[in-house]
Amino acid sequence: MKHKLTELLQHAVNTLKSTGVIDSSLQPQIIIERSRDDKHGDYASNLALALAKSAKMPPRQLAEQLVAALPSDSAVIKVELAGPGFINFFIDALAQHQVIPRILTEQAHYGLSQVGAGQRVQVEFVSANPTGPLHVGHGRGAAYGSALANLLAAAGYTVHREYYVNDAGRQMDILATSVWLRYLAALGEVFTFPSNGYKGDYVVDIANELLAQAGRDFYQSIATVMADIPADEPDGGDKEEHIDALIAKAKNLLGQGYEYVFAAGLTSILADIKDDLHEFGVDYEEWFSERSLMDDGAVAEALSRLRSAGHLYDKDGAVWFASSSLGDEKDRVVLRENGQYTYFASDIAYHMNKLDRGFDHLINIWGADHHGYIPRVKAALKALGADETKLTVLLVQFATLYRGEEKVQMSTRSGEFVTLRQLRDEVGKDAARFYYVMRRSEQHMDFDLALATSKTNENPVFYVQYAYARVCSVLRQLAEKGWTRDAALGLEHLARLTETHELQLIQTLARYPEVIERAAAQFEPHQVIQYLRELATEFHTYYNAHQFLVDDDALRNARLNLIAAVQQVLGNGLALLSVSTPEVM
RNA sequence: GCGCUUGUAGCUCAACCGGAUAGAGCACCAGCCUUCUAAGCUGGGGGUCGCAGGUUCGAGUCCUGCCAAGCGCGCCA
């Protein structure tokens, strides 16, 4: 309908151009909006207001000319001028009713759009270091990222969901060393665990598993291990130096075995993350390993490309990327004095790899604490000769976790955190996802666990699911009363749907495809939730105001078609969010 | 100090790339179950859109300056 009205207005504009009322060089953008107030009809355009200045004509007068030049259309029953120069369109009710057969025919396809057809977009999200289980801080990125990916797919894009596994670097060495030390403890060695090691119970579990599989193969006496290791922080030393020395010692003593211990930690945690996300309704097309970039020379290749393009220089024994000339605050080290690549170096290679795979658009979903990282990655893309506008970085603010009044502190290292798994156990997948996606991702948000657990009945997700379940219930009641739904009869009598609630509901149903397109274009899945809550509200109101299972066959079936359409759209929307649709509540 | 993000009802949040009277939920008050599920519905109170300027027919939305909160400013990831 929006498109049709746009065409009609475009036609009017062309007419005014040809009659010389307005300058023929003007190319106004025609915007059609849903009217917020019924008194303003169904759709409105501010075209006359926007065009008034360049057309050198008062807005109202221009609006009159436009309306006069507007071609007639059977669906448009009235066009009004209002306010300072708005053009309001009133749409024929019966034309609007046609959305019902459309929904019933298209079913799960209703609302899908083709705006992204033929375009491949990669969405990278979560990408948490595999050094421990996911915690609630990752939950928001997971829920948002997967909802966004689904939304883009609904808008016609070919979506590639990807998790970048940071399986290289010092944090992973700390993990491997932590596992090894717990393994030695399991073998009876007694010592103080490093203050900078990973202290979570899961490390103990992995160590025990390692012991069960490999026996004493990796045993070393603690005296050997601790020989010449500088003191830890509690003993007056430096915790970083302490752990680094332990890592070096582990590599040295274990030799080939270090890889085995390392892999034991990595595979176990990665499997846990994979399972956790799957249970949370998040699945990926690809899990991309950072180490693979090191191993196949992609990092070296990326740096050599930067070098030959003149973006690298040597200073203080390290290799620097001159990112400050490309919009970054300062230059960045890519190859350290000690000969190791920085994380940034592999990230350059990773993004080069993404581009080489031919995606039309790259979307990175990062925690807001990484925002300072954006300019350097964009700089890298520019330096590689790529179009940096292909990359969109979307930031997800952290959810501050509360238990009642008390703020829950979290630290992966100390092992004190609420895991995503715990959250799922406490509040359930549906409620957690809904809650996370409900708010704009850039919005700071408070997540009160006490509230989410103790007052689950008040969670808005149930409100929407309940509307769905109610339709199911009505359809069950129908059968119990010995009736069957006659969709064809109902469609013949759609004109019987004349109640205010019904007209309102039909309008809202018709809006769904616009919501999808808009939410996808703006990367804002919360708009879908907003919409679903509105649709559910209108359904509940209707439910309370009118009886569906009436004796009048025509009216009953017309109403059943309407609520079946509501059910379909609720189901489509919830599916996008990976929230379940219970038939009974 | 510099940068990014945010600031809307008591609380948590919306507000269609600037539009007509800024909306929901929670909480609070008053009503609605011999009729399809009351996890629901109806009505009510509650707002200097952080503050001050500016841009224009029109600003919660754009610009500037302040104030406040979160985050960032490593040869960590």
Side-chain angles (χ1 to χ4, degrees):
Chain A
M1 188 55 67
K2 263 190 183 178
H3 296 114
K4 183 185 274 186
L5 295 176
T6 305
E7 282 172 25
L8 296 179
L9 275 176
Q10 185 61 55
H11 193 278
V13 168
N14 291 343
T15 303
L16 293 196
K17 281 182 185 176
S18 65
T19 55
V21 177
I22 59 176
D23 195 290
S24 60
S25 63
L26 294 175
Q27 289 293 341
Q29 193 189 0
I30 296 176
I31 296 171
I32 303 281
E33 284 193 336
R34 289 270 177 184
S35 299
R36 296 179 200 199
D37 189 327
D38 288 343
K39 289 198 288 288
H40 301 137
D42 300 298
Y43 294 88
S45 177
N46 65 349
L47 180 63
L49 291 160
L51 201 57
K53 195 164 209 175
S54 47
K56 301 188 180 84
M57 197 185 294
R60 291 238 11 154
Q61 192 186 331
L62 179 57
E64 281 171 28
Q65 299 264 14
L66 282 167
V67 171
L70 214 54
S72 67
D73 187 282
S74 59
V76 181
I77 52 175
K78 190 166 62 162
V79 179
E80 271 186 5
L81 287 187
F86 288 102
I87 301 172
N88 293 333
F89 296 89
F90 292 76
I91 306 302
D92 177 53
L94 219 53
Q96 302 208 58
H97 281 45
Q98 293 316 306
V99 74
I100 293 174
R102 190 176 152 203
I103 293 168
L104 297 179
T105 303
E106 296 182 8
Q107 298 184 40
H109 296 285
Y110 177 68
L112 298 186
S113 157
Q114 290 302 312
V115 291
Q119 293 201 63
R120 293 175 62 219
V121 54
Q122 190 232 31
V123 183
E124 184 221 317
F125 62 108
V126 185
S127 299
N129 285 353
T131 52
L134 297 177
H135 53 72
V136 293
H138 299 121
R140 192 175 186 183
Y144 173 69
S146 64
L148 176 62
N150 293 345
L151 192 53
L152 291 172
Y157 293 92
T158 301
V159 178
H160 188 83
R161 300 161 183 82
E162 189 158 313
Y163 188 117
Y164 183 50
V165 182
N166 299 129
D167 51 6
R170 180 165 171 267
Q171 296 304 322
M172 288 305 296
D173 281 325
I174 295 178
L175 175 75
T177 302
S178 298
V179 169
W180 186 51
L181 291 173
R182 290 299 192 198
Y183 163 89
L184 296 180
L187 280 168
E189 295 295 333
V190 178
F191 56 93
T192 307
F193 197 76
S195 57
N196 214 17
Y198 285 101
K199 295 173 180 165
D201 292 339
Y202 62 92
V203 178
V204 176
D205 295 340
I206 294 169
N208 288 336
E209 181 65 23
L210 178 65
L211 180 59
Q213 282 179 8
R216 299 176 61 87
D217 288 4
F218 307 118
Y219 176 76
Q220 296 285 337
S221 79
I222 200 64
T224 314
V225 175
M226 291 301 176
D228 305 320
I229 298 292
D232 200 358
E233 192 167 79
D235 305 320
D238 183 295
K239 61 179 181 179
E240 305 292 349
E241 286 179 17
H242 181 71
I243 195 77
D244 282 339
L246 282 170
I247 292 169
K249 186 64 76 74
K251 289 181 176 173
N252 192 11
L253 291 174
L254 288 171
Q256 298 278 327
Y258 181 81
E259 269 306 306
Y260 191 93
V261 174
F262 185 101
L266 174 62
T267 52
S268 166
I269 289 172
L270 210 50
D272 176 74
I273 289 175
K274 230 176 233 193
D275 174 70
D276 201 8
L277 287 173
H278 176 72
E279 294 298 322
F280 197 48
V282 181
D283 293 288
Y284 291 88
E285 268 76 33
E286 185 165 354
W287 294 70
F288 194 99
S289 158
E290 180 187 358
R291 294 181 99 195
S292 73
L293 292 169
M294 308 273 191
D295 295 345
D296 67 11
V299 179
E301 160 73 16
L303 294 193
S304 92
R305 270 175 67 174
L306 289 181
R307 174 78 77 178
S308 55
H311 293 291
L312 296 189
Y313 64 89
D314 303 294
K315 193 180 92 179
D316 302 334
V319 179
W320 297 70
F321 169 46
S323 54
S324 63
S325 60
L326 295 167
D328 196 7
E329 281 181 8
K330 54 177 88 166
D331 293 349
R332 310 289 173 178
V333 170
V334 286
L335 184 61
R336 294 199 280 258
E337 203 174 353
N338 67 8
Q340 296 213 311
Y341 294 120
T342 58
Y343 173 82
F344 180 45
S346 43
D347 224 14
I348 293 172
Y350 182 41
H351 283 86
M352 186 176 81
N353 174 287
K354 289 183 180 186
L355 291 167
D356 288 347
R357 279 187 271 164
F359 293 112
D360 298 295
H361 206 90
L362 305 176
I363 293 177
N364 290 356
I365 296 172
W366 289 350
D369 55 335
H370 287 74
H371 62 76
Y373 201 76
I374 299 172
R376 77 187 74 168
V377 173
K378 294 252 182 190
L381 292 183
K382 283 182 229 171
L384 289 167
D387 175 10
E388 83 275 10
T389 60
K390 277 189 174 182
L391 173 69
T392 302
V393 179
L394 299 170
L395 298 176
V396 176
Q397 291 289 343
F398 279 119
T400 314
L401 209 58
Y402 288 86
R403 234 178 237 293
E405 294 289 303
E406 198 178 342
K407 201 167 173 175
V408 180
Q409 296 296 337
M410 291 200 297
S411 150
T412 312
R413 196 70 56 77
S414 66
E416 294 165 13
F417 50 80
V418 179
T419 63
L420 179 59
R421 188 167 264 116
Q422 284 173 315
L423 180 73
R424 283 196 287 109
D425 290 343
E426 282 190 41
V427 311
K429 178 195 99 169
D430 290 341
R433 286 190 64 108
F434 204 87
Y435 199 92
Y436 274 131
V437 180
M438 198 161 61
R439 282 74 194 272
R440 243 171 62 236
S441 65
E442 313 90 71
Q443 183 70 251
H444 297 276
M445 122 182 185
D446 291 339
F447 198 127
D448 186 344
L449 281 170
L451 196 78
T453 52
S454 71
K455 297 187 174 181
T456 49
N457 288 4
E458 286 155 14
N459 196 305
V461 69
F462 296 114
Y463 183 81
V464 176
Q465 288 178 319
Y466 185 48
Y468 183 92
R470 267 186 153 173
V471 177
C472 297
S473 177
V474 171
L475 296 177
R476 281 192 301 271
Q477 284 289 321
L478 179 73
E480 283 172 28
K481 294 197 177 191
W483 280 320
T484 48
R485 181 176 145 223
D486 187 337
L489 181 66
L491 290 180
E492 281 172 38
H493 295 95
L494 289 179
R496 298 287 303 276
L497 301 177
T498 55
E499 300 288 349
T500 312
H501 295 102
E502 291 163 343
L503 300 179
Q504 181 59 54
L505 213 36
I506 287 166
Q507 271 189 20
T508 301
L509 288 172
R511 223 176 67 211
Y512 180 67
E514 296 164 20
V515 171
I516 296 300
E517 262 185 34
R518 181 172 186 81
Q522 301 187 349
F523 307 133
E524 292 188 344
H526 79 271
Q527 290 185 17
V528 177
I529 291 196
Q530 209 72 24
Y531 168 84
L532 290 175
R533 294 176 73 176
E534 198 180 323
L535 179 59
T537 297
E538 288 172 7
F539 172 76
H540 286 309
T541 305
Y542 178 41
Y543 182 97
N544 276 278
H546 298 284
Q547 194 75 11
F548 307 148
L549 301 180
V550 293
D551 290 331
D552 181 336
D553 288 343
L555 182 60
R556 182 179 67 247
N557 281 291
R559 286 183 171 170
L560 287 174
N561 279 351
L562 173 58
I563 65 169
V566 170
Q567 179 191 39
Q568 183 71 54
V569 173
L570 287 173
N572 291 0
L574 289 173
L576 272 183
L577 306 168
S578 297
V579 172
S580 68
T581 47
E583 302 195 349
V584 181
M585 286 180 75

